[in-house]
Amino acid sequence: MTKLLFIKASPLPDDVSRSMVVASAFLEKYKQENPNDVIERVDVYEQDIPLIDGAFMAAGNELRGGKVFADLDPVMQDKLTKFDALTQQFMDADRYVIVSPLWNLGIPPMLKAYFDTVVVAGKTFRYTANGPEALLQNKKALQIHGSGGVYSTGESDLETHGEPYINTILNFIGVETLPSIFVEGVDYDPTRKDEILNAAIEESVRRIGLF
Ligand SMILES: Cc1cc2nc3c(=O)[nH]c(=O)nc-3n(C[C@H](O)[C@H](O)[C@H](O)COP(=O)(O)O)c2cc1C
């Protein structure tokens, strides 16, 4: 059975976030066309996404050094368990929809924290003598990316690291990325909001056939 993981990276409510308005319409159509798919949602600003910090890295080193998991601090046990569950959930999925805004030319910090739970050496990629090697196969992702300004057309001089980073990190672990959907420019011209959202919805629905 095909499993689609729907990852939301905007902290705004679903009906306020522009990328989510588009993604919700996409998802409704997707469900109609794929009624047997299992759909799971990850909400990176609602869920407890474990952050990699010094204590987390120390615990990893202790485990690699032979320490028994049950002997770790209970808080760290809980953190590691949640971390591993997120990695496993990602590995078990076949398709992904990543709904993210552009924040200060990059991705929201909690989405980065989430990617840190799924880009794991030995599970989703591995180091080899010839460099890193992706370990995931037969998986596809669609990105729905919201930004206040317009960047996808190349008319901006600014280099952005939101949508390109998400595709790069997914490709790094072996996930094929479909051409992204851009929900962009509403902050520049709010009078065009409906037009921009509707065009993005139409385009996103056309991507369903590419999955
Ligand atoms: C903290 C923050 C940083 C932002 N940085 C940018 C930016 O660098 N470039 C841009 O075009 N829009 C930027 N925006 C605007 C959002 O990308 C835009 O409002 C977009 O529609 C957000 O998507 P959402 O409505 O799905 O949350 C920023 C918004 C916030 C809250």
Side-chain angles (χ1 to χ4, degrees):
M1 189 178 290
T2 302
K3 186 167 137 186
L4 181 132
L5 196 57
F6 185 91
I7 301 155
K8 177 191 174 191
S10 173
L12 294 173
D14 287 6
D15 58 348
V16 177
S17 156
R18 294 157 192 155
S19 53
M20 267 305 296
V21 169
V22 172
S24 301
F26 164 87
L27 193 61
E28 278 314 303
K29 191 75 179 150
Y30 180 92
K31 283 181 190 165
Q32 285 169 17
E33 295 191 18
N34 300 275
N36 297 322
D37 276 20
V38 173
I39 297 174
E40 289 182 12
R41 174 166 163 156
V42 175
D43 198 325
V44 301
Y45 276 94
E46 295 291 328
Q47 280 174 239
D48 183 9
I49 307 289
L51 280 176
I52 297 178
D53 56 14
F56 183 91
M57 294 175 88
N61 285 336
E62 284 172 7
L63 288 174
R64 280 186 287 278
K67 188 164 184 170
V68 176
F69 183 81
D71 290 340
L72 289 173
D73 178 274
V75 174
M76 191 51 69
Q77 287 185 33
D78 182 52
K79 197 168 171 174
L80 281 163
T81 302
K82 283 182 177 144
F83 189 100
D84 288 347
L86 288 169
T87 318
Q88 195 59 50
Q89 181 189 40
F90 192 93
M91 291 169 71
D92 289 344
D94 308 286
R95 297 170 175 178
Y96 311 89
V97 174
I98 293 126
V99 190
S100 176
L102 180 71
W103 274 12
N104 297 324
L105 307 181
I107 63 171
M110 290 314 298
L111 181 60
K112 176 60 169 60
Y114 175 71
F115 281 137
D116 288 342
T117 72
V118 301
V119 183
V120 179
K123 289 191 175 178
T124 53
F125 78 98
R126 68 178 170 206
Y127 296 107
T128 75
N130 300 320
E133 190 178 281
L135 290 178
L136 300 185
Q137 287 176 340
N138 304 320
K139 297 180 191 293
K140 288 185 183 178
L142 173 66
Q143 198 189 143
I144 299 177
H145 184 75
S147 63
V150 177
Y151 304 96
S152 71
T153 54
E155 64 199 53
S156 168
D157 292 337
L158 284 171
E159 191 180 350
T160 63
H161 302 273
E163 188 266 344
Y165 170 75
I166 293 171
N167 283 342
T168 301
I169 200 68
L170 291 171
N171 296 160
F172 180 78
I173 55 176
V175 177
E176 182 188 335
T177 45
L178 303 181
S180 301
I181 300 299
F182 294 91
V183 189
E184 57 182 359
V186 176
D187 288 338
Y188 282 9
D189 187 355
T191 65
R192 292 188 56 230
K193 181 180 169 190
D194 288 348
E195 177 197 336
I196 290 169
L197 266 55
N198 287 334
I201 289 170
E202 262 183 43
E203 204 186 343
S204 72
V205 167
R206 285 201 289 272
R207 294 286 190 283
I208 294 175
L210 298 179
F211 261 127

